[in-house]
Amino acid sequence: MSRLIKKFSNQSILEFDKGKFDDWCIYHKLLGKERYAPKDIQYFTRLKKLSEVFSPDIIYNDFLEIYEKTTKEINISVLSDITNVSAKYKNYALQMDIIFTILYAGMVAEENKAKAILKKRIKRLGMHQLLREGYTPQVASIFSKGKNWRELDKECLSRGF
């Protein structure tokens, strides 16, 4: 059974529902279109483009504000904060609202996954690589695939988180 995360100004929605592995799959449903599960490569590619318009540091720091507030539960005030933070991106406000909300939902999902040891830090690692280290979206989006948690934990710790 799907669980609404947020409805956006363009009437699209983000929701949790059953995926291949668990009930924490994130789906984005655009008005009049089939819902889809956003992939890291998709929103990392968009963030990389947006980091050419806005400083990568601004985007990363806004992400960190959301990261710090992320727990196991979707919090209405955090969703509101995301919309408010996204407003400063002017013509890109809706895109940023959607992307930051996808990232937030992804971190909430990671916090709830029983076997996820790194929890939300795995999203921070990808964002750090993308926006602070200049990794391509392709590399940042698959960096953790096939690596064990100890190796990824070292990667996180070496970056201070």
Side-chain angles (χ1 to χ4, degrees), residues 62-71 107 120-124 161:
D62 287 342
F63 164 76
L64 280 183
E65 278 187 45
I66 299 160
Y67 175 88
E68 294 299 331
K69 297 174 184 174
T70 301
T71 65
M107 290 187 291
K120 66 183 179 179
R121 290 191 307 150
I122 198 69
K123 289 287 184 214
R124 184 171 179 180
F161 51 87

Side-chain angles (χ1 to χ4, degrees), residues 128-140:
H128 194 279
Q129 290 171 329
L130 181 74
L131 297 169
R132 287 276 166 96
E133 298 175 52
Y135 282 38
T136 66
Q138 294 79 9
V139 172

Side-chain angles (χ1 to χ4, degrees), residues 28-128:
H28 187 208
K29 171 87 170 83
L30 297 156
L31 202 58
K33 304 226 175 165
E34 290 288 319
R35 74 179 188 171
Y36 69 97
K39 305 283 185 236
D40 290 349
I41 183 73
Q42 293 170 314
Y43 55 83
F44 277 12
T45 298
R46 192 67 199 128
L47 283 170
K48 192 65 153 183
K49 289 273 189 217
L50 289 166
S51 75
E52 295 167 8
V53 177
F54 304 96
S55 156
D57 287 338
I58 288 171
I59 296 172
Y60 185 74
N61 289 336
D62 287 342
F63 164 76
L64 280 183
E65 278 187 45
I66 299 160
Y67 175 88
E68 294 299 331
K69 297 174 184 174
T70 301
T71 65
K72 291 179 107 172
E73 302 289 328
I74 291 288
N75 184 311
I76 304 278
S77 70
V78 175
L79 292 173
S80 184
D81 290 346
I82 291 169
T83 300
N84 292 335
V85 163
S86 298
K88 76 180 179 187
Y89 293 91
K90 306 281 187 217
N91 294 341
Y92 303 95
L94 176 61
Q95 288 179 56
M96 292 306 290
D97 193 9
I98 292 169
I99 292 169
F100 280 149
T101 304
I102 289 168
L103 285 162
Y104 174 60
M107 290 187 291
V108 169
E110 290 294 338
E111 290 294 303
N112 280 284
K113 289 179 182 175
K115 295 184 181 181
I117 296 169
L118 299 174
K119 305 290 183 184
K120 66 183 179 179
R121 290 191 307 150
I122 198 69
K123 289 287 184 214
R124 184 171 179 180
L125 178 60
M127 289 292 285
H128 194 279

